[in-house]
Amino acid sequence: MKEVNGSSDNISVSRGDSSPWPAVETAHIAFLLDARDDFEAGLLRDWVESRKPDDDSRPPYSFIKLPKSGADNLLATLPEQDDGVWMQPLRIAWLPTSSAGSSRSLQDLFHGRITEPGRIRRRTIARFSPDRLAYVVGDGAYRHELRERQADAPVDDDNLPRFVVNQALIALERAERLVRGARYKVPRILRSDVFANPDFQNLIKNVALQGDRSVHAVTDQAARYLREMAATQTPFTLDMMNAIYRAACQSHHDAKINVDDTQLERVAETMADRPVVFLISHKSMLDTMALSLVLFDANLPLPLTFGGINLNKPGLGAFARRSGIIFLRRSFQDNVIYKATFRRYIDYLIEKRFSLLWALEGTRSRTGKLLPPRFGLFSYVVESILRTRLHDVTFIPVSVAYDQITEVEDYSIEQRGHTKKPEGITWPLRFLRRGRSRGQIHLRFGEGLTIRELVEPAELEAGIDDQRKRTLVPTLAFEVAVRMNAATPITATAIITLILLAGGNRAQSLAEIRALARAGAALIRRRDLEIVGRSNFRDEDAVRATLDA
């Protein structure tokens, strides 16, 4: 079996001889068990007992199962007024049958790769495949340290048991990511954390007062809105969704997405240090799928993205939410509680350093050109950055280019005057059907941007007024667009297509096309722009292959 030790400052992983027993002098150890049922709790207790120190210096200890709700009685069994109690969180992580990262397929998920087995399956795994159990040891702390940490917390929460539960879950999530991988950093939405913000509580009280309603009723309404919009990723749904994404991307394109490794390393360094907002160009429905696959295969946390509430259909909606989609209503400007809940949720995600993603233009480009940016989500995120004062949140432009776009036939139909078909529940099936090869997908990351680059430090410190905010949002959006354009590679297909279009109705010989393509490529290279694909236009076979495609 595997054991994983976690620490908030310097988390380390060890195998074999690791122990849940802390190397501290204490009067009492409380093992906090994050278990789904009594079977898991029993496995944890047996493991702790099996790792007991041999000497007699071991302090007294007890086991406390973390509640799923209502933590008020959590500490009732501990010695009263004894802040020397050591709180040690523990959990079991159920591992897949293999550690393969980039080669996972849909078939794998239904042949033992499931990471969230049911009750009967867990018993079978524990008996016959004990190597698939990882005992996760989170970062522990003395009770008095948790009291001090609670006093310094940016939220108004005077309930120590609830604070202990939240801190234990956070510590376990950090430790578990070491054994599962950073790609499984998933937002555990703790309603108590979201609702404990003093400003949010005051807003709820004011809304209740103005509407002659009880605070409890308004809080319940906000909680319903939070459940409706909040994404709740799980390792299983991330595995399954990325298996679907991989099948969709590979159905018409090369198996390997073309990425600049230097840019990807820079993105990884940024994500390790600060929250990130990915802003992606939108030419195809495969855009966000390609980005998700690149990050997943690089073992990087996957961003949460936004979707319309119309996609929240029975079954599909639950799966999409667990895959990282935040569902938003089309219009909520007149709904004060909904708007406040959404703002507080964005604040919460940024405070917890989760990444976000949306299409810069807000719609797909039928020509491949970058469209003017939309400012709606920009405004909410910029306001959140200013409220939380996390000014190092980095906006990273992402450009996705294709040798050929899968939906090009749809585009040509629309250009001839036909109405655009709405995406129904069956549209993903089109991408899963095998079709002719359309070449490669090319993904590039532009240079990151923070608000600090656009606003003087003194102005940030003093606070930005509404007028300055109205100019900051479009400035930020257009600067991201410029950097996205700069990062976009030029494909060999685009150069050849431009030559054919420029010829109008006149036929062109292969020699003529090659000569013009070489001249165009020379100009592009003199401007230090990137060309991808089969761009050696001196090679007749390369030009012919592009024309054939």
Side-chain angles (χ1 to χ4, degrees):
M1 296 185 182
K2 303 176 182 178
E3 294 87 23
V4 181
N5 281 326
S7 166
S8 60
D9 298 319
N10 184 20
I11 300 175
S12 61
V13 180
S14 58
R15 303 277 193 262
D17 296 330
S18 180
S19 172
W21 293 87
V24 295
E25 294 182 5
T26 182
H28 190 97
I29 299 175
F31 290 105
L32 307 179
L33 310 183
D34 182 29
R36 279 179 284 188
D37 53 26
D38 291 339
F39 175 68
E40 278 195 2
L43 288 176
L44 286 167
R45 283 193 293 267
D46 292 344
W47 179 65
V48 170
E49 297 285 358
S50 71
R51 292 294 193 276
K52 268 186 196 175
D54 294 332
D55 55 45
D56 296 330
S57 61
R58 173 180 48 79
Y61 61 96
S62 58
F63 296 100
I64 300 176
K65 187 177 174 182
L66 294 181
K68 300 307 177 185
S69 62
D72 291 346
N73 297 323
L74 178 75
L75 307 180
T77 60
L78 297 179
E80 293 185 11
Q81 308 301 324
D82 185 359
D83 282 346
V85 173
W86 179 266
M87 320 294 288
Q88 182 60 67
L90 304 174
R91 170 191 291 172
I92 290 177
W94 299 87
L95 304 181
T97 53
S98 68
S99 59
S102 61
S103 61
R104 296 176 182 177
S105 68
L106 282 174
Q107 189 178 19
D108 291 333
L109 291 171
F110 298 100
H111 287 78
R113 284 202 42 79
I114 296 176
T115 56
E116 296 182 7
R119 181 172 57 86
I120 297 176
R121 192 179 183 90
R122 288 201 303 274
R123 292 177 181 273
T124 303
I125 292 172
R127 182 175 180 181
F128 297 106
S129 303
D131 58 308
R132 289 185 57 190
L133 276 73
Y135 290 99
V136 180
V137 183
D139 179 32
Y142 287 108
R143 184 157 63 177
H144 71 82
E145 291 175 338
L146 290 169
R147 287 188 189 279
E148 294 168 2
R149 201 183 302 172
Q150 179 190 24
D152 296 334
V155 295
D156 182 18
D157 187 358
D158 58 358
N159 187 308
L160 180 62
R162 185 168 58 212
F163 184 79
V164 169
V165 171
N166 290 352
Q167 293 299 300
L169 294 176
I170 291 171
L172 289 169
E173 293 293 339
R174 289 171 175 165
E176 187 174 340
R177 284 201 299 272
L178 289 169
V179 69
R180 292 198 186 277
R183 61 171 67 90
Y184 296 114
K185 178 182 180 181
V186 297
R188 183 187 286 264
I189 304 304
L190 301 174
R191 174 183 157 177
S192 57
D193 274 7
V194 176
F195 280 72
N197 178 270
D199 293 336
F200 187 58
Q201 287 185 344
N202 289 336
L203 187 144
I204 286 178
K205 292 174 183 176
N206 290 335
V207 170
L209 183 63
Q210 294 171 8
D212 194 23
R213 302 172 59 190
S214 69
V215 173
H216 179 73
V218 176
T219 301
D220 282 349
Q221 185 177 356
R224 289 197 301 273
Y225 289 150
L226 181 64
R227 287 194 299 271
E228 176 184 288
M229 68 179 67
T232 53
Q233 292 166 310
T234 68
F236 171 71
T237 50
L238 289 180
D239 270 350
M240 191 168 186
M241 183 60 84
N242 278 278
I244 295 173
Y245 288 171
R246 198 178 306 281
C249 288
Q250 293 180 3
S251 64
H252 294 273
H253 296 89
D254 294 354
K256 183 173 176 57
I257 297 174
N258 178 255
V259 186
D260 186 314
D261 291 335
T262 302
Q263 294 177 356
L264 187 57
E265 289 173 6
R266 188 173 67 231
V267 169
E269 292 172 359
T270 303
M271 294 183 76
D273 184 53
R274 62 190 68 179
V276 164
V277 175
F278 290 102
L279 295 157
I280 195 167
S281 61
H282 198 15
K283 302 182 184 71
S284 166
M285 296 301 291
L286 297 178
D287 297 331
T288 54
M289 299 184 193
L291 175 61
S292 179
L293 286 175
V294 166
L295 297 177
F296 189 84
D297 291 347
N299 195 26
L300 294 174
L302 303 185
L304 304 177
T305 189
F306 298 88
I309 196 67
N310 58 301
L311 295 176
N312 191 12
K313 306 293 184 183
L316 177 64
F319 181 68
R321 178 180 287 107
R322 291 186 178 96
S323 302
I325 294 180
I326 299 169
F327 285 120
L328 290 182
R329 299 186 178 186
R330 290 300 183 187
S331 176
F332 53 85
Q333 291 302 315
D334 297 330
N335 190 329
V336 177
I337 302 175
Y338 187 96
K339 188 161 56 174
T341 304
F342 177 58
R343 283 175 171 161
R344 175 60 197 138
Y345 178 47
I346 296 298
D347 289 356
Y348 175 82
L349 292 176
I350 288 179
E351 289 167 355
K352 300 301 181 184
R353 311 182 81 79
F354 286 98
S355 300
L356 299 173
L357 161 70
W358 70 86
L360 179 73
E361 307 105 316
T363 184
R364 271 186 289 168
S365 168
R366 292 307 200 255
T367 63
K369 281 185 65 175
L370 188 63
L371 300 176
R374 301 285 185 90
F375 302 140
L377 287 172
F378 259 113
S379 298
Y380 279 101
V381 172
V382 167
E383 289 173 358
S384 179
I385 292 170
L386 297 176
R387 278 194 302 272
T388 59
R389 305 189 72 79
L390 293 172
H391 302 133
D392 61 346
V393 174
T394 302
F395 294 85
I396 297 181
V398 183
S399 176
V400 186
Y402 303 81
D403 288 336
Q404 290 189 62
I405 293 175
T406 309
E407 303 102 306
V408 69
E409 285 86 357
D410 293 344
Y411 295 176
S412 63
I413 290 171
E414 292 167 25
Q415 290 295 319
R416 292 197 294 270
H418 293 273
T419 304
K420 175 183 178 292
K421 293 181 180 179
E423 286 90 8
I425 195 170
T426 60
W427 71 260
L429 298 178
R430 314 168 51 187
F431 293 95
L432 298 177
R433 290 200 303 262
R434 281 282 166 191
R436 67 180 179 86
S437 174
R438 299 178 187 273
Q440 199 165 24
I441 301 174
H442 310 275
L443 189 143
R444 295 293 182 270
F445 297 98
E447 185 181 350
L449 176 70
T450 67
I451 287 179
R452 294 183 189 277
E453 298 177 48
L454 303 177
V455 182
E456 294 294 330
E459 189 177 2
L460 278 178
E461 189 63 31
I464 295 177
D465 57 27
D466 290 340
Q467 178 61 36
R468 180 70 176 94
K469 216 178 293 179
R470 282 193 288 270
T471 61
L472 174 61
V473 169
T475 301
L476 177 66
F478 279 104
E479 180 59 31
V480 169
V482 169
R483 298 186 183 199
M484 182 184 292
N485 241 348
T488 302
I490 299 170
T491 64
T493 304
I495 296 172
I496 297 293
T497 303
L498 184 62
I499 292 169
L500 296 176
L501 290 171
N505 294 324
R506 184 177 63 82
Q508 300 176 70
S509 68
L510 180 60
E512 186 179 4
I513 293 172
R514 286 176 61 200
L516 291 171
R518 288 200 303 272
L523 174 63
I524 291 169
R525 291 190 174 103
R526 281 200 298 272
R527 295 184 58 189
D528 292 326
L529 301 176
E530 182 185 13
I531 305 178
V532 293
R534 300 186 67 173
S535 58
N536 179 12
F537 298 123
R538 296 183 183 277
D539 181 358
E540 182 176 316
D541 290 339
V543 177
R544 191 182 297 277
T546 301
L547 286 167
D548 289 343

